[in-house]
Amino acid sequence: MQWKEMHGWTVKMSMPSVLAMVAVFSMIPGGVLSDTRGTQGLEAQQIAQGPTHLHRRLKRGWIWKQLFVPEEDPTPRVIGQLKSDYDRGEFSIKYILSGDGAGDAFEIDEYSGEIRTLKKLDREEKAFYVLQAQAINRRSNEPVEPQSEFIITVQDINDNVPQFQNEPYVSSIPEMCLIGTTVAQVTATDADDPMFGNNAKLIYSVLQGEPYFSVEPKTGIIVTSWPNMDREAREQYLVVVQVKDMLGLSGGYSSSTTVTVSLTDVNDNGPTFQHHLYTFAVPENAAEGTTVGRVMAYDGDSGINAKMTYSLEDDLEESSTFIIKTDPVTQEGLILLAKPLDYETKRRFVMAAEAVNDHVDTRFLDLEEFRDRTTLKIIVEDVDEPPVFLSEVYEWKVPENAAVGTVVGSVSARDTDTVNNPIRYSIDKRRDNTKAFKIDPNNGTIIVAKALDRETANWHNITVEAKETTQSHLSSSVVVFIKVLDINDNVPRLARDYQPYICEGTQAGELIQLLSAVDPDDPVEGHHFYFSMVREKHINPNFTIRDNQDNTAGIVARRSSFTRKDRTQYLLPVVVTDSGSPALSSTNTLTISVCSCQPAGHCPTGGVEALALSMGVSLQTLLGIVVCFITLIGGTGGSSRRSWRWRGKSWSCLRRCRRRCCITEKRGV
C-alpha cells in the first residue's frame, strides 16, 4: 500500500493502483494531480516523492486526479482509502462517497474510508467515473474537509475481438493486370483502448489466396502478387484475410473476412472456328429467309470483347444466294437463304465465311489475330415440285357478245422436275359461281361456255389448277382475270319519271322541263345522248325539244296563252338516241299538265288540279269533296246502320257532299 496526503486528506492506494498510476505518469505529462488554479506541477512532484506526509497544508483547491481499477475483475476489492488528518481513530469522522457509480459500482467504508468495487466493470461500456468524497464530524454533522472530486479510471484489458467493417468485401480487377495492382482494402476495428498497450494494435495477414494476392500488414490493402492472371483459366478468387490485435503476439484475439475477387475480361482472345469445313443440306423448295445452318467461332472472352460479325466471301458468285447474320445472343453465324433454289439448275454451293471481332485491343494480340475463316459447303436436295405456270397471273379481254365456244386464251404450266410429268388443267368450281367458261384439260385453252352480259358481270375471276398425272398428284393454281368488253346492247332512257307542268300565262320560248338520260352501257369515249321529237308530217305547235349538246335537253313552249279551260294535259313523245355503233334509241311520252301557278311559278297542287279539271269540277270543289268524305267516314265508325251503301256508280254521301261544296263555292268561302 502507498499513502498520499493532500490538503488535509490522506489517500491510501492499493499497489495495483500505484503501478497503474506510474504507467499513466509515463504516458500523460504532468502526472495525475491537477490544480484548478494552476498548481498542477507542484502536486505531481509531491506524489512522485513517495509515501511521506506533507509538512504543511495545501490550498483547499487541490484534489487528487484519479484512481485505477482493472476491468472485467469479478472479485470486489479495495482500490484505495481516504483518511482525513482530523481522523484520530475514534470513528468520529464519517466518510461519504457520491457521484458516478457511487453505491452501484463503488462504496466507501464510512468509518475507515476504504473504497472498494462492488461489481465487474467494463471499460468499453464506461471508461471512467467521476466521484466526490466528503468527511463529516459525526457529532456536529459538519464537514471537516471540503468536498473533493476525483476520477476512477477503468484500466483496459484485451477482452475484445477485432471486427471487420463494411462486409462483405467484393472487388474486381482486369485480367492480365500488373503485379501490385490494388484489389481492395479491408478495415477492422478493436473496441479496446488504443492508448493502453498493444490491446488495439492490429496487424493483417493472408490466410488464403497466396501466391496470387498479398496484404499490407498495417493498412489492410490487398494487392496482386502474381503476373498475367487469365480470366479464361480462372475467373474468381476467394482471399481470406486475418486480423490480429496485440500486434500479432500470442495471447491476442483474431478474426477473418473473405474478399471475393473477380477478374474482368479484356480482349486477349480472337475468334476461332472449330472446323475448317462445315457442310449443310437444304431442300430446293425452301423459302427465302430459311435458316440453312449455324456456325460458331469460339471466343474465350465475354461481353463486348466476344462480339463478332460474320461475313461471306464477296468475290464468290454463291454469296448472293445466301447471307450470314450474327445471332446477338449466342454469337453464332446464321446462314440464311436469300434467293430461291433450283436443284435442276445448281446442286452445290461452296463459299468462305469469316468471323471478325467488333472490338479489338492490340495491347494483347495483333490485328490479324482478331479474325478467322472457314469453308461452307451447301448441298441442294431434290424435291418433287408441283407444276409451275409460265405466268404468275393471266388477264384477258372478251366482248360481251362473244358466241359460246369462243376461245378466250390459254394457260400453260410445266413440271420443273427432271421427269417432266404430264399435266391436266381444270377450273376450280368452288371459286367459279358463274360457270361462264370451260377449259380444255389437256392444253389449258379457255372458251366461253354461256352468253356474257357486261352489265351483269364486267369481270370474271377464275382459278385454274394444273395437276400432275402421277401418283403424287402435285398441283398448283393461277388466277385468270377476264374482262368483259362493252357493246352497245342497251337503249338509252330518261333519267327519271318526269312530271312536267306548264303555268297559265307561259310565254313562247320559255323552258318548261330540263331532261337527262342514262344508259347501262359503258362506251370507251363516254356517253353522248341526242334528244329529238318524233318525226311527224307536221311540226308540234305547242312544244319543241332543244338539245343542249351536253347530254341534256329542254322542253320549250312554242306558243303562249295556255289555259286550263282550253286543255288540262298535253302528251309529248321524246326520242333519246345514244352514240353507239349501231346507235340505239327509245321513245318516252311525257304528260305535260296545265297549272294555275303561284307568282314564283310553282304549281302547288301538281296533278290534283289537272284531275279536277278532267272531272269537270274546280279544284276547290274537288278538295271539299275529299274533306267531306274523310269526315263522314270518321264519324260513322263501324256502325252498320250509318254505313253508306253503293248506289250505282258513286256514294250517296259523295252526292250530298258535292252539293254542299258547290253551295260553299258559290258563297265564296
Side-chain angles (χ1 to χ4, degrees):
M1 304 294 288
Q2 186 170 1
W3 290 88
K4 297 295 179 182
E5 183 177 345
M6 296 171 289
H7 51 60
W9 287 92
T10 300
V11 182
K12 182 182 179 182
M13 297 180 290
S14 62
M15 186 55 67
S17 298
V18 174
L19 294 176
M21 288 181 66
V22 173
V24 172
F25 288 158
S26 65
M27 300 172 61
I28 305 176
V32 297
L33 298 178
S34 64
D35 181 10
T36 58
R37 293 195 292 260
T39 59
Q40 176 181 359
L42 177 61
E43 190 163 353
Q45 181 180 359
Q46 292 173 345
I47 293 178
Q49 289 176 354
T52 61
H53 293 282
L54 297 175
H55 298 289
R56 59 185 180 88
R57 295 179 66 83
L58 299 178
K59 295 179 179 179
R60 292 296 178 180
W62 291 96
I63 63 171
W64 60 85
K65 176 71 173 178
Q66 57 187 347
L67 298 176
F68 293 90
V69 59
E71 69 171 330
E72 304 297 340
D73 186 356
T75 304
R77 66 176 65 248
V78 176
I79 61 174
Q81 183 180 12
L82 303 180
K83 194 172 184 65
S84 172
D85 290 345
Y86 296 102
D87 188 352
R88 304 304 182 197
E90 299 173 351
F91 303 108
S92 61
I93 304 298
K94 180 181 180 180
Y95 296 98
I96 300 174
L97 187 67
S98 61
D100 290 345
D104 176 35
F106 308 98
E107 68 175 3
I108 189 169
D109 189 316
E110 64 178 23
Y111 296 101
S112 65
E114 289 183 340
I115 301 173
R116 64 173 58 89
T117 59
L118 296 176
K119 64 179 182 180
K120 181 173 62 174
L121 302 178
D122 185 2
R123 188 201 68 84
E124 287 71 44
E125 181 179 344
K126 190 171 180 62
F128 62 90
Y129 296 82
V130 179
L131 297 103
Q132 294 80 36
Q134 287 181 298
I136 300 175
N137 189 298
R138 290 181 182 272
R139 294 187 181 92
S140 64
N141 203 29
E142 295 292 334
V144 297
E145 297 287 352
Q147 179 175 292
S148 295
E149 185 177 77
F150 67 99
I151 298 174
I152 298 178
T153 300
V154 182
Q155 288 180 300
D156 183 56
I157 65 171
N158 191 20
D159 61 340
N160 287 279
V161 178
Q163 300 292 329
F164 281 98
Q165 306 297 310
N166 303 320
E167 291 183 302
Y169 292 99
V170 178
S171 181
S172 62
I173 57 174
E175 64 173 328
M176 313 300 287
C177 63
L178 300 176
I179 294 178
T181 300
T182 299
V183 178
Q185 182 176 17
V186 294
T187 304
T189 58
D190 195 314
D192 292 322
D193 189 354
M195 304 301 295
F196 187 80
N198 295 323
N199 292 345
K201 297 295 189 299
L202 306 180
I203 189 168
Y204 300 90
S205 62
V206 174
L207 293 182
Q208 175 185 322
E210 294 179 331
Y212 303 102
F213 303 94
S214 61
V215 64
E216 207 286 323
K218 294 183 178 180
T219 63
I221 297 176
I222 303 172
V223 297
T224 58
S225 56
W226 189 267
N228 301 328
M229 285 188 288
D230 189 5
R231 185 197 67 85
E232 288 72 44
R234 184 176 179 182
E235 187 172 0
Q236 191 177 84
Y237 297 83
L238 298 179
V239 182
V240 179
V241 178
Q242 183 186 64
V243 62
K244 285 186 175 182
D245 59 13
M246 300 290 291
L247 291 176
L249 299 175
S250 61
Y253 292 102
S254 66
S255 63
S256 62
T257 187
T258 300
V259 182
T260 303
V261 183
S262 300
L263 298 183
T264 59
D265 186 60
V266 299
N267 199 359
D268 58 344
N269 293 278
T272 303
F273 285 103
Q274 302 301 300
H275 305 284
H276 296 293
L277 174 65
Y278 292 86
T279 302
F280 304 100
V282 57
E284 64 171 327
N285 62 345
E288 295 182 24
T290 299
T291 300
V292 178
R294 294 171 176 256
V295 295
M296 180 66 183
Y298 176 77
D299 192 321
D301 298 320
S302 64
I304 192 173
N305 296 321
K307 289 186 176 182
M308 65 190 77
T309 300
Y310 294 88
S311 61
L312 297 178
E313 195 66 49
D314 291 336
D315 59 349
L316 296 180
E317 180 184 355
E318 292 83 357
S319 64
S320 60
T321 305
F322 302 91
I323 60 174
I324 189 169
K325 292 184 177 180
T326 304
D327 188 321
V329 178
T330 64
Q331 292 299 302
E332 293 177 297
L334 304 181
I335 304 167
L336 306 176
L337 181 62
K339 292 183 178 180
L341 299 173
D342 185 9
Y343 172 83
E344 289 72 30
T345 303
K346 190 173 182 62
R347 305 182 181 183
R348 188 179 68 170
F349 296 84
V350 179
M351 64 199 75
E354 184 178 60
V356 181
N357 270 143
D358 293 347
H359 303 275
V360 299
D361 193 340
T362 54
R363 294 179 302 171
F364 305 102
L365 297 174
D366 293 334
L367 189 61
E368 287 301 317
E369 293 182 272
F370 290 104
R371 63 177 67 237
D372 195 23
R373 292 164 61 89
T374 189
T375 301
L376 306 180
K377 180 190 289 186
I378 300 177
I379 306 299
V380 181
E381 298 176 337
D382 187 27
V383 175
D384 189 8
E385 299 173 290
V388 177
F389 283 93
L390 300 183
S391 178
E392 294 182 357
V393 64
Y394 292 89
E395 184 174 336
W396 300 321
K397 298 178 182 179
V398 59
E400 64 177 320
N401 62 346
V404 174
T406 301
V407 175
V408 181
S410 295
V411 297
S412 180
R414 64 182 182 87
D415 183 8
T416 57
D417 297 320
T418 54
V419 294
N420 194 17
N421 295 313
I423 297 171
R424 292 186 64 82
Y425 301 93
S426 62
I427 294 177
D428 189 349
K429 297 180 180 179
R430 297 170 299 177
R431 303 180 183 180
D432 182 24
N433 297 325
T434 62
K435 297 179 175 54
F437 302 94
K438 292 182 179 180
I439 190 170
D440 189 313
N442 297 314
N443 58 25
T445 300
I446 297 177
I447 62 173
V448 177
K450 66 179 184 180
L452 304 175
D453 183 12
R454 189 202 67 84
E455 286 71 38
T456 302
N458 57 348
W459 279 94
H460 292 268
N461 303 334
I462 60 177
T463 300
V464 176
E465 184 181 53
K467 182 181 295 185
E468 295 180 2
T469 58
T470 58
Q471 185 177 0
S472 61
H473 297 297
L474 294 178
S475 64
S476 60
S477 60
V478 69
V479 178
V480 178
F481 299 98
I482 301 176
K483 182 179 181 180
V484 180
L485 301 179
D486 183 56
I487 62 170
N488 194 24
D489 58 346
N490 290 277
V491 297
R493 66 180 186 275
L494 292 178
R496 60 184 179 85
D497 184 17
Y498 292 101
Q499 294 181 356
Y501 63 90
I502 185 170
C503 296
E504 291 181 324
T506 299
Q507 301 298 315
E510 288 189 22
L511 177 65
I512 298 174
Q513 181 71 57
L514 184 65
L515 306 176
S516 62
V518 294
D519 191 328
D521 294 323
D522 186 20
V524 178
E525 297 180 355
H527 286 291
H528 189 82
F529 300 113
Y530 303 96
F531 299 85
S532 62
M533 307 278 288
V534 176
R535 294 183 180 180
E536 295 179 346
K537 296 181 180 180
H538 55 84
I539 299 175
N540 189 316
N542 301 312
F543 306 99
T544 186
I545 301 296
R546 183 169 60 198
D547 195 329
N548 297 324
Q549 301 298 314
D550 60 356
N551 291 340
T552 65
I555 302 175
V556 179
R558 298 195 65 181
R559 66 181 181 85
S560 304
S561 67
F562 287 91
T563 63
R564 293 176 294 169
K565 294 180 179 181
D566 295 339
R567 190 170 180 178
T568 60
Q569 292 180 342
Y570 295 88
L571 299 180
L572 179 64
V574 178
V575 179
V576 183
T577 306
D578 61 21
S579 58
S581 179
L584 299 179
S585 63
S586 66
T587 301
N588 303 267
T589 301
L590 300 179
T591 300
I592 302 176
S593 301
V594 180
C595 176
S596 176
C597 298
Q598 294 180 353
H602 175 63
C603 182
T605 56
V608 177
E609 186 176 18
L611 176 61
L613 293 174
S614 63
M615 295 174 60
V617 298
S618 65
L619 176 61
Q620 291 84 351
T621 302
L622 181 61
L623 292 176
I625 294 173
V626 173
V627 171
C628 182
F629 179 76
I630 295 174
T631 303
L632 292 175
I633 291 296
T636 57
S639 175
S640 58
R641 290 181 301 170
R642 300 180 61 183
S643 60
W644 296 93
R645 298 180 180 178
W646 181 256
R647 298 178 181 177
K649 297 183 179 180
S650 63
W651 295 92
S652 60
C653 74
L654 181 60
R655 295 172 183 172
R656 296 180 182 180
C657 188
R658 272 186 74 177
R659 288 196 297 270
R660 186 180 305 168
C661 292
C662 292
I663 297 172
T664 302
E665 186 179 11
K666 290 180 180 180
R667 293 178 180 176
V669 178

